[in-house]
Amino acid sequence: MARGLQIRDEESGYNKNLFCIPKHYEEDLERVFIPHGLILDRTERLARDIMQDMGSHHIVALCVLKGGYKFFADLLDRIKALNQNGDKSVPITVDFVRIKSYCNDLPTEEISIVGEELSTLSGKNVLVVEDIIETGRTMKALLSKLRDNEPKMVKVVSLLIKRTHRSPGYRPDYIGFEIPDKFVVGYALDYNEYFRDLNHICILKEKAKEKYRI
């Protein structure tokens, strides 16, 4: 079973004043939960694991927008470095799919999937790159659509997975960090489109949820 770097339930993160935080967000954040440097180090190891498993065939990397774009870019940079410096290399092409399943901090009933023509993935080795998995409901809906198009292989990597009672137990093939059931933002994870421009993954103050609520 895939394992990520486990962050314990009692972990509160780091004093935000020890990090570079954009001025416009300073009053909105409780703590820095996962620093940017740690994200990049973990991403480098995930790239190595993925190449060990999938590095013998052409890979189609499928980015789940919008929250996955930063992780996707950094992960592909590290896979590209392995391609350039390793004993073997494989071609990697990219594709994008956009999924909307949240309003404010609550999941919506409807899952909207918009993207490229998924039929082009038929017979391909597909790596789905996601930012965060909570219940797994969204990912299961996407995987069902992908499998309708008969790809040769589908693997899923998620930067974060939440330990939550709402999860039926779905786990991706590769996990960056396993985190407690906290609402986090930053590193392209948003709250109503805000906080994507924050380098670190941070815990949001409750009053900030009201400030940015739609």
Side-chain angles (χ1 to χ4, degrees), residues 62-111:
L62 182 65
C63 176
V64 179
L65 296 171
K66 292 179 181 177
Y69 81 85
K70 277 285 291 174
F71 177 47
F72 182 78
D74 288 335
L75 180 67
L76 258 62
D77 277 349
R78 278 140 188 86
I79 289 176
K80 184 170 68 176
L82 291 170
N83 252 344
Q84 288 174 344
N85 302 312
D87 294 330
K88 62 179 182 178
S89 66
V90 294
I92 297 174
T93 53
V94 301
D95 223 327
F96 300 89
V97 63
R98 183 173 175 182
I99 300 180
K100 175 93 173 153
S101 61
Y102 261 78
C103 181
N104 297 319
D105 57 345
L106 297 173
T108 56
E109 288 299 317
E110 296 265 333
I111 295 174

Side-chain angles (χ1 to χ4, degrees), residues 151-213:
K152 181 178 179 182
M153 174 198 299
V154 178
K155 298 273 191 183
V156 178
V157 55
S158 182
L159 177 64
L160 306 176
I161 183 169
K162 272 191 188 179
R163 289 189 299 275
T164 169
H165 63 87
R166 300 187 304 279
S167 171
Y170 170 78
R171 295 178 71 84
D173 302 283
Y174 310 97
I175 299 167
F177 300 89
E178 192 169 315
I179 67 170
D181 195 2
K182 299 177 187 288
F183 192 81
V184 292
V185 294
Y187 193 68
L189 291 154
D190 77 304
Y191 180 76
N192 291 334
E193 298 302 327
Y194 292 93
F195 304 100
R196 294 194 195 276
D197 53 335
L198 185 61
N199 273 343
H200 313 291
I201 293 176
C202 299
I203 300 170
L204 198 60
K205 287 181 177 177
E206 285 300 318
K207 67 178 184 181
K209 293 182 183 179
E210 291 303 318
K211 178 179 174 182
Y212 297 102
R213 188 176 295 276

